[in-house]
Amino acid sequence: MTRLSASTLASLPVTVRRSAYDRSALKPGIVHLGLGAFARGHLAEYTEDALETSFGAWGIVGASLQRPDQRDRLKPQDGLYTLLKLAPAGPELRVIGSVLDVLVAPESPAALVARLASPETRIVSLTVTEKGYCHDPATGKLKADHPDIVHDLANPNTPRSAVGILVAGLKARRDAGLGPFTALCCDNLPSNGHVLRGLVRDFAALMDDKLAAWIEANGAFPATMVDRIVPATTEADIAEVAKLTGLGDAAPVIGEPFRQWAIEDVFVDGRPAWDQVGAQMVSEVAPFEFMKLRMLNGAHSSLAYLGYLAGHETVAEASGDPVFARFLAGLWVEIIPTVPAPQGVVLADYAQALLARFQNPAIRHRTWQIAMDGSQKLPQRLLGTIRERLKAGAPIDHLALGVAAWMRYVTGLDEKGGAIDLRDPLAAELKRRADAAGRNAEALSTSLLGIEAIFGSDLPAEERFTKPVTTHLASLFDKGAKATTTSLG
Ligand code: CS2
């Protein structure tokens, strides 16, 4: 089958939208670290729209921090790929042209640093997932003993970690007499811009105090809230896109039609016209972030653990099950009072819309995928909400069940005794604790609650939290996820 590329674009059916700007005139202005499906389905589409509305030197050079796969798929396609948006009413297709090139950091970290240091580069954006920041998720502080950070401090010109790469790029710019780029964090972290600023400052300070002061005085780290449901691409998706477009695409992106991006408008050297194509430039991202992290991601994670345990493969299946739909409604009742509503938003309507998004039957978002990296996700998705509920003396039954379901999940055995493919940076430690506790709910919850990087030192001492978690966990062992959730009412 003919492959999608600049020279075969013309053979696409007219129903497939393509770039309405002269791509051959596009110069790079953004380097994006972590060019996975999400970034290509979110930032790259917003940038594509901005280029169509107000053309400028804002092409994207992507960088993979681990594997060459993405580069190997995209290079033969001249960086082009298909975005397939799946509404319940039917598909919408477009080819995205904003990605110009892909670098692979481990193959040549120096080339990536040189790209960051190029005068052309004005923004470095990131989607490296929660664990990609080498920080402590409970406190947001740099883990100076993380192996990648230790490596990067010893080898500052050939960094591996996102933070090490940013600092190397900023240092090279300062040494060359250039200004900094804007570092734009697009991951689901609380106060993501602020956290990234702190990590970069702390890493730089371990190398050179003057560099840290220069970054602090001149750098920019806008906070953002990013949202679009973009599951990992499957072989079936690749086949579907080939059928719909008539061209082979090794790297299509499948997502829902909904998208949202709230950005704190503090850029040091310009930005694409994202504001003209739907991004919300705001002075305070926090209300958007609380709403999204707590209501969407908190519900996603809780549903992922419960749904997986109950045998549901996808979010659409799990949220379509009346037992879990009722659970979500109860969960949102607990979460909403902890969320300051962004201006013009009615949180109950937002919850309603979330349920419809979760239930979109065209999106096959695996519960297993969302269950990944729970140790890095729980603090901002569920535990902050729980702390606030406890402070207010309010019930946390549904929230506690979400945490208990995570504990049941990390035992590594499902309800039929089958193995769970547990993916988490703390997987070895979680497994060790789970094996030692066996099916004893009290022992397991006490042991897992002792992981300070997740639960801090306050929550394990709070009986109003530990008790319901342990009771739910015992019920998950005895009766299973579905019956336990049903009995919550
Ligand atoms: C999901 C998110 O994988 C996960 O943990 O909760 O990727 C979610 O789909 C996005 O944040 C939606 O914007």
Side-chain angles (χ1 to χ4, degrees):
M1 177 173 239
T2 309
R3 186 93 173 255
L4 171 67
S5 73
S7 62
T8 61
L9 266 180
S11 71
L12 284 168
V14 287
T15 47
V16 182
R17 179 171 157 195
R18 51 210 100 154
S19 310
Y21 56 87
D22 177 8
R23 192 166 181 252
S24 64
L26 183 59
K27 298 257 180 315
I30 300 174
V31 176
H32 185 80
L33 306 183
L35 195 70
F38 181 77
R40 292 187 301 121
H42 191 266
L43 170 125
E45 194 203 29
Y46 274 100
T47 305
E48 177 81 353
D49 289 343
L51 290 169
E52 290 186 343
T53 303
S54 174
F55 189 77
W58 292 114
I60 300 168
V61 175
S64 298
L65 302 197
Q66 276 154 17
R67 289 176 304 275
D69 319 23
Q70 198 72 270
R71 187 267 323 270
D72 295 347
R73 292 187 203 111
L74 285 171
K75 270 273 196 204
Q77 302 181 183
D78 303 312
L80 298 169
Y81 62 92
T82 317
L83 175 61
L84 169 58
K85 290 182 269 187
L86 293 174
E92 203 187 301
L93 285 153
R94 76 189 290 193
V95 169
I96 302 286
S98 57
V99 176
L100 292 176
D101 197 5
V102 187
L103 305 176
V104 180
E107 285 178 8
S108 178
L112 175 57
V113 173
R115 180 48 33 216
L116 261 61
S118 158
E120 285 184 328
T121 300
R122 293 189 276 163
I123 294 176
V124 178
S125 48
L126 301 91
T127 47
V128 294
T129 82
E130 294 85 348
K131 63 177 175 288
Y133 291 87
C134 303
H135 73 313
D136 183 317
T139 63
K141 294 268 177 279
L142 186 73
K143 283 173 76 164
D145 60 350
H146 188 292
D148 289 349
I149 298 298
V150 172
H151 170 274
D152 291 358
L153 287 168
N155 306 277
N157 298 322
T158 53
R160 279 182 191 155
S161 72
V163 171
I165 290 166
L166 287 176
V167 173
L170 287 165
K171 177 175 185 309
R173 296 179 78 93
R174 183 205 54 176
D175 294 350
L178 293 170
F181 45 71
T182 298
L184 187 65
C185 179
C186 299
D187 276 297
N188 289 316
L189 298 175
S191 315
N192 59 4
H194 181 77
V195 166
L196 182 60
R197 173 191 285 276
L199 297 173
V200 165
R201 184 198 47 227
D202 291 352
F203 182 97
L206 292 170
M207 278 169 54
D208 166 0
D209 276 337
K210 285 214 182 84
L211 175 64
W214 180 82
I215 295 173
E216 195 57 24
N218 300 288
F221 300 83
T224 67
M225 179 276 261
V226 294
D227 190 10
R228 170 169 262 166
I229 292 175
V230 181
T233 305
T234 63
E235 288 302 322
D237 297 330
I238 292 175
E240 175 72 6
V241 167
K243 203 172 84 197
L244 291 169
T245 65
L247 289 180
D249 179 350
V253 177
I254 319 300
E256 62 172 345
F258 179 91
R259 67 176 189 181
Q260 192 175 11
W261 199 6
I263 311 174
E264 187 189 6
D265 203 1
V266 288
F267 289 75
V268 279
D269 195 9
R271 57 165 171 80
W274 289 321
D275 55 318
Q276 291 177 38
V277 295
Q280 294 158 274
M281 311 309 293
V282 298
S283 54
E284 239 214 307
V285 172
F288 292 92
E289 170 201 302
F290 277 120
M291 174 176 82
K292 197 264 172 169
L293 280 177
R294 292 184 173 185
M295 292 183 65
L296 189 158
N297 297 113
H300 240 184
S301 285
S302 306
L303 186 70
Y305 298 117
L306 288 167
Y308 184 97
L309 292 168
H312 289 306
E313 197 188 339
T314 66
V315 170
E317 262 176 37
S319 59
D321 179 332
V323 167
F324 294 112
R326 205 170 45 243
F327 166 77
L328 288 173
L331 185 69
W332 283 320
V333 166
E334 290 177 9
I335 298 172
I336 285 176
T338 75
V339 173
Q343 216 184 345
V345 178
V346 176
L347 294 173
D349 296 348
Y350 182 78
Q352 208 49 47
L354 284 180
L355 184 64
R357 290 171 63 195
F358 287 6
Q359 290 179 341
N360 179 348
I363 300 284
R364 291 190 53 78
H365 203 181
R366 293 177 68 196
T367 46
W368 175 81
Q369 188 189 345
I370 299 163
M372 255 188 258
D373 297 343
S375 69
Q376 313 296 299
K377 293 174 175 173
L378 251 46
Q380 60 273 21
R381 293 184 177 204
L382 292 173
L383 304 179
T385 317
I386 287 172
R387 284 191 177 90
E388 282 183 36
R389 293 286 289 174
L390 291 173
K391 214 185 287 164
I396 56 159
D397 252 5
H398 293 72
L399 290 156
L401 179 55
V403 176
W406 168 77
M407 292 181 167
R408 174 65 188 80
Y409 181 89
V410 304
T411 62
L413 282 181
D414 67 22
E415 292 184 357
K416 296 198 176 99
I420 298 174
D421 180 4
L422 179 64
R423 304 281 176 95
D424 194 293
L426 298 189
E429 175 166 5
L430 296 172
K431 188 165 176 357
R432 192 169 48 69
R433 291 180 187 243
D435 287 350
R439 289 174 69 90
N440 180 329
E442 179 90 44
L444 181 59
S445 91
T446 306
S447 176
L448 292 174
L449 287 167
I451 305 179
E452 203 174 333
I454 305 176
F455 294 100
S457 51
D458 56 337
L459 286 177
E462 177 55 81
E463 243 192 40
R464 289 176 302 156
F465 171 63
T466 58
K467 253 207 164 127
V469 168
T470 308
T471 309
H472 286 321
L473 182 58
S475 171
L476 288 170
F477 277 127
D478 290 351
K479 298 196 279 185
K482 190 145 176 170
T484 302
T485 309
T486 307
S487 64
L488 209 53

